[in-house]
Amino acid sequence: MNKAASEAASESPTGAEGAHELGEAGAQLSTAPREENAIGGPTLGVVGWIRWFWRQLTSMRVALILLFLLSLGAIPGSLIPQNSVDELKAQAFKDAHETLTPIYEKLQLFDVYGSVWFSAIYILLFVSLIGCIVPRSWQFVGQLRGRPPGAPGRLTRLPAYTTWRSETEPEQIREAALALLKKRGFRAHVAGDAVAAEKGYLREAGNLLFHIALIVMLVAFATGQLFKSEGGKLIVEGDAFSNTLTQYDDFKSGSLFSTDELVPFSFDLDKFTGTYERSGPQRGTPRTFEAAVTYGRPGEAQKKAVIRVNEPLNVDGSKVYLIAHGYAPVVTVKDGKGKVVFKGAVPLLPIDNNITSTGAIKVMDGYRDPKTGKKTQLGFKAFFVPTFAGAGQGNMFSQFPALDFPVMAVTGYTGDLRVDGGLPQNVYQLDTSKMKQFTVGENGQVAQRLIPGETMTLPGGAGSITFEKEIKEWASFQVSQQPGNGLALAGAIAAIAGLAGSLFIQRRRIWVRAVRGADGVTVVEMAGLGRSESTRLPEELGELALTLHAEAPTAPDTPEEPEADEAAVPAEGHEK
């Protein structure tokens, strides 16, 4: 068998001449739009410009550019605090960068995902993908319904080629080639004196699947932004939460979300458990971080569950994530007559990894000034450390996040807390603009350190505050409904599968021609053409040729007859 694949590879059809030689056989190996001659500028009218713009917009090149721009546009949304995510953090950024803030606001960088320019890129990409996929899908369906084209006139011009001569009848060779190619998964049929076969349609199917998956992910993103809801709630051990709007500490939602869509359920925080690494380079790193809860829907039996980081509680599509935790010391405040005017756990907010915490204790009702007897209010700034350090240094800080040596420093105030003016106020901060600070101790200190069980007595018979021995823990939860998450996951999986198919599957065509030569011996030719250059195509053609050669072996060579002039030459040394 004479294999000439390597020699014929140098004769692969290129340019206008090659395209003319291959004709229909080399056409439409892909569903990419055909390039047409550019329309001259002077002949373009309004319709012509619209058509030109549409062709550019629906080209794969522009779709990739828009996809890149969309990814590029999302970078500011990750680096710059967004109003829709954390308004307080965004405001802090604005206060710290007074020069950049006006520029960022004009560019809508604090609301990237709702900005005009991001929405324009998003919509153009959506239109581009649809305009690109629809015609290619119809074209691909047409290719599936059609049959592989007949063999070109000169198979030697194809990049993979082999030939041999056989004594087997041409019809038998074509039948054997047809059966062989179908067995190998090719779509094959006899076209004239050759068998035409094609394989690798999954490449185009994968290409289309990838772009359809991009549309699915865009739809999922839009659905998630329009119909999402997200709220935060801080809960102390023993307290409960009900999924209603008024129960949230903060809440934000998409423009098409309705509060009627909130899933009705509730849960109690039974216990929070946090353990930490005690030694080594990772000392203080959380090892256990979980909240035991009891939850249920109205009219249903209560259930037990444990919420961990990245293991949310899922109630009918509404997910409850555990995002933070801290301590809530229990304090008791009494007036000058010994009457309890406040008692409860006070959540304090951590300010470092060792859970050094700050907060405010506010006594808004039930307290009277011991001198005038008029109603007034008390306020305390609290500074808490779970494991005290800094003794003798004039300060205090926490050296470990667990409750090994809890200490709380308290500073007292009396006057107007300014909570009755109707303006919103941070519950963890104390407005002292209308309050007078207490001094305690003989040296006139403004703050006093307390350990569990100790009491700070306010001067002038104003009362006292006791740091009880009980210290509760609190957990912060995020309750979210993201209706597009499942769709986005399906789109991402489909995109990966489609991309893998389009990269690793090769669309190729094989032709087997068997014709009787002038000397009566059958000439067998096999050739292959792929959508792109690949070393796999000659190898596959060689394997097919070897299999077919077993059924149509090479004909024996015919001995050549000596020429007359050679027979007439006398032997050397015998001259006449």
Side-chain angles (χ1 to χ4, degrees), residues 364-365 377 416-423 425:
M364 294 176 284
D365 300 309
Q377 296 173 328
D416 183 9
L417 291 171
R418 307 195 70 182
V419 295
D420 301 325
L423 297 177
Q425 190 179 94

Side-chain angles (χ1 to χ4, degrees), residues 27-307:
Q28 293 304 299
L29 270 176
S30 98
T31 55
R34 297 175 179 174
E35 295 290 339
E36 299 182 5
N37 294 332
I39 302 175
T43 62
L44 283 181
V46 176
V47 176
W49 278 110
I50 294 175
R51 291 179 61 189
W52 178 86
F53 176 78
W54 177 253
R55 287 172 182 166
Q56 298 302 313
L57 179 61
T58 57
S59 67
M60 194 57 61
R61 178 178 63 255
V62 172
L64 292 175
I65 291 174
L66 290 172
L67 186 61
F68 173 75
L69 290 177
L70 193 70
S71 303
L72 198 65
I75 295 177
S78 301
L79 300 179
I80 300 173
Q82 300 294 292
N83 289 325
S84 59
V85 177
D86 192 336
E87 192 170 353
L88 293 176
K89 191 174 182 180
Q91 186 59 48
F93 182 91
K94 295 176 183 179
D95 295 338
H97 303 83
E98 296 181 356
T99 303
L100 290 175
T101 295
I103 301 174
Y104 283 5
E105 286 181 340
K106 289 182 179 180
L107 296 176
Q108 298 178 300
L109 295 183
F110 294 110
D111 296 283
V112 168
Y113 303 111
S115 63
V116 174
W117 55 268
F118 190 87
S119 300
I121 297 174
Y122 181 89
I123 294 172
L124 285 175
L125 177 60
F126 194 85
V127 174
S128 176
L129 288 173
I130 293 178
C132 180
I133 289 172
V134 171
R136 293 183 68 154
S137 299
W138 284 115
Q139 188 175 348
F140 182 57
V141 171
Q143 292 180 16
L144 290 177
R145 296 178 63 183
R147 306 180 98 185
R154 297 174 60 186
L155 292 178
T156 55
R157 295 188 61 85
L158 298 183
Y161 173 82
T162 186
T163 183
W164 73 92
R165 293 157 53 86
S166 176
E167 294 181 341
T168 308
E169 294 295 323
E171 293 79 7
Q172 296 179 3
I173 295 176
R174 286 194 289 268
E175 290 178 2
L178 181 64
L180 172 63
L181 291 169
K182 287 185 175 181
K183 184 178 179 181
R184 296 293 181 91
F186 285 83
R187 295 177 59 210
H189 71 107
V190 177
D193 59 0
V195 176
E198 188 169 8
K199 191 178 182 181
Y201 286 93
L202 286 179
R203 179 187 182 92
E204 292 303 324
N207 190 21
L208 292 173
L209 177 63
F210 172 74
H211 292 94
I212 292 173
L214 289 181
I215 294 180
V216 171
M217 287 191 289
L218 289 175
V219 171
F221 176 78
T223 302
Q225 291 298 312
L226 293 173
F227 295 95
K228 73 174 183 179
S229 70
E230 189 175 274
K233 180 63 177 179
L234 185 150
I235 306 175
V236 178
E237 287 177 331
D239 291 347
F241 167 78
S242 179
N243 193 26
T244 58
L245 188 60
T246 57
Q247 288 278 300
Y248 285 100
D249 296 331
D250 59 86
F251 185 84
K252 51 184 176 291
S253 63
S255 57
L256 298 182
F257 178 82
S258 172
T259 54
D260 295 335
E261 298 175 16
L262 287 173
V263 178
F265 73 95
S266 62
F267 67 89
D268 299 338
L269 176 59
D270 300 327
K271 182 176 178 57
F272 179 87
T273 303
T275 60
Y276 308 90
E277 186 66 39
R278 287 283 176 179
S279 61
Q282 294 186 337
R283 184 175 184 272
T285 303
R287 286 292 172 255
T288 304
F289 199 76
E290 59 186 33
V293 299
T294 302
Y295 73 98
R297 299 195 58 174
E300 297 181 359
Q302 297 291 297
K303 302 177 183 177
K304 298 285 186 179
V306 176
I307 305 175

